[in-house]
Amino acid sequence: MPKYRYQAVDENGKRVKGRLTAADETELHALLLEKELYLTRAKVITEQKRGRPLKARELSEFSRELGTMLQSGIPLVKALTILSEEEGIRTETRGVYEQVLNQVCCGFSLAKAMEQAAGVFPDLMLSMFHAAEASGSLGKTALLLAEHYSRAYKLDTRTRNAVIYPKLLVILLIAMTGLLTGFVLPQFEALFGLMEELPLPTRILYSITDFMTERWYLVMLGAAAIGLGGKAASRIPVIRRGLDWVSLHVPVFGRLQKTVCTAQFARAFSSLYSAGIPIVSALQIARKTIGNSYIDFQFDKVIFMVQNGSTVSDSLNTVDGFLQKLSASVRVGEESGNLDVMLCSIADSMEYDAEQVVSRMITYLEPLTIVIMAVIVGGVMAAVMLPIYQSYHVIEQAGF
């Protein structure tokens, strides 16, 4: 059925805008009349534009405030009105909340209304709200989702913060190298020109400096080609899976990536299963939260195995990229009959492990980056100082 963008007025003459799915304008008019709204204008939406996905922090705040108000007995429409009128939120986000409110006022369920804002709310949230509305536990589920996205935000923030210090050191390294080669080295050109032969490190440094100076446009073009080419290549599924495979198997950082992917899947699967979502559907939704196309590609086999009678633990054990701790813990839950409790425990354990791996990575990265920086800067300094030292040595010998 087509989707309409409509304008209507209520019995007080107040204008109302929104979107609604109907077979034709007659049905649209009838649907609005049920809400005491009178249609004034309607237009078929030929192509629905996908909105900007809400970030984990925004999803956490939305779920927590909504869940708190619903648990306090505030009606859904009133809660959505409060959220849409809240200060400090982005104009785009406010528009999404108002759209959801209008759809709910027109008779849609909350999950259906959120689906109309294509691409804004994740499938995990939509599925859990669908199940919660059927069971009458919308407020409780919203608070559960708030905790889920709060943990996801903290883990993502901690992971991104882990590379801030190395990035700063790299920027400092580039600046110092540029200063030495662009300002210090030219000061000694007259002296070095009197020498019969320069040391090898100095000749290499001069070659690099001359190339960067005379062929700077080639450097810029090469950097742009690598950047744009890499971005375009990463959109090709086969190449994307290959890059994601490398990220899982590279030394040190691969362990972190495996732990983070396992933690993200465990938390999503735990939340979905606890909300009463069937296992196959939960697996289909949770696979989208992993963020690794190589692991996601393997889930076709996982779901096929589960549909044909295999246990979840045996199916997950075939996935290359998850820690073995995940399948072992799921097996314990299946055998004890407490899979929901065990899944929650797995999620907490995996997130704790991820935080510990990030902390260890920071511990390794900082001294490693300093050592690399010292080697490069030391090499540049040696290339500058060696010929100076040799010239002093020659002068000293000539004096005798």
Side-chain angles (χ1 to χ4, degrees), residues 211-229:
F211 180 80
M212 296 286 289
T213 303
E214 299 174 3
R215 300 286 190 270
W216 59 269
Y217 54 90
L218 294 178
V219 177
M220 299 294 290
L221 289 174
I226 293 174
L228 296 176

Side-chain angles (χ1 to χ4, degrees), residues 42 72 83 93 103 132 137 173 180 184 208 220 222 271 295 338 355:
S72 301
L83 285 172
T93 304
Q103 295 293 324
S137 57
L173 171 61
L180 290 173
V184 177
I208 295 174
M220 299 294 290
S271 300
I295 296 178
N338 295 315
E355 291 179 356

Side-chain angles (χ1 to χ4, degrees), residues 15-233:
R15 297 177 63 183
V16 178
K17 297 181 180 180
R19 299 182 181 188
L20 198 59
T21 302
D24 50 34
E25 288 195 22
T26 302
E27 182 178 345
L28 175 64
H29 182 73
L31 290 173
L32 292 174
L33 281 177
E34 293 178 1
K35 303 300 175 183
E36 297 183 350
L37 297 175
Y38 301 92
L39 180 66
T40 59
R41 183 182 301 175
K43 181 179 179 180
V44 176
I45 302 175
T46 55
E47 183 178 353
Q48 189 173 12
K49 182 180 179 181
R50 295 184 66 83
R52 179 188 68 87
L54 294 181
K55 298 180 180 179
R57 179 180 58 82
E58 295 173 308
L59 292 170
S60 175
E61 292 174 354
F62 170 80
S63 300
R64 178 169 289 104
E65 293 177 12
L66 179 63
T68 301
M69 286 187 284
L70 293 177
Q71 291 287 79
S72 301
I74 298 176
L76 177 60
V77 172
K78 180 64 175 178
L80 291 173
T81 302
I82 295 173
L83 285 172
S84 63
E85 295 175 350
E86 190 176 51
E87 295 182 1
I89 61 176
R90 293 164 51 95
T91 303
E92 183 182 356
T93 304
R94 189 187 308 279
V96 172
Y97 292 171
E98 291 174 349
Q99 178 186 338
V100 172
L101 173 61
N102 290 335
Q103 295 293 324
V104 171
C105 290
C106 290
F108 281 89
S109 66
L110 176 60
K112 284 290 185 181
M114 293 167 64
E115 285 179 358
Q116 304 302 312
V120 175
F121 299 98
D123 292 339
L124 172 65
M125 176 176 283
L126 297 176
S127 299
M128 291 186 64
F129 276 166
H130 270 299
E133 288 178 308
S135 62
S137 57
L138 187 57
K140 180 181 178 181
T141 301
L143 292 176
L144 180 64
L145 281 168
E147 182 65 21
H148 168 80
Y149 287 112
S150 176
R151 290 173 179 268
Y153 172 69
K154 291 178 182 178
L155 181 60
D156 180 64
T157 301
R158 189 169 180 81
T159 303
R160 285 187 286 107
N161 288 344
V163 297
I164 290 179
Y165 182 70
K167 284 181 178 179
L168 292 176
L169 288 180
V170 169
I171 294 173
L172 180 60
L173 171 61
I174 294 173
M176 291 182 64
T177 304
L179 177 64
L180 290 173
T181 58
F183 178 75
V184 177
L185 191 61
Q187 304 299 318
F188 297 96
E189 284 186 359
L191 176 62
F192 294 166
L194 300 175
M195 301 182 64
E196 296 181 358
E197 184 180 8
L198 293 173
L200 179 61
T202 309
R203 296 200 303 271
I204 294 175
L205 181 60
Y206 263 119
S207 298
I208 295 174
T209 303
D210 291 342
F211 180 80
M212 296 286 289
T213 303
E214 299 174 3
R215 300 286 190 270
W216 59 269
Y217 54 90
L218 294 178
V219 177
M220 299 294 290
L221 289 174
I226 293 174
L228 296 176
K231 187 175 181 179

Side-chain angles (χ1 to χ4, degrees), residues 341-359:
V341 177
M342 185 57 66
L343 283 172
C344 185
S345 176
I346 297 167
D348 292 338
S349 176
M350 290 292 99
E351 288 171 352
Y352 175 79
D353 290 345
E355 291 179 356
Q356 295 303 307
V357 172
V358 170
S359 298

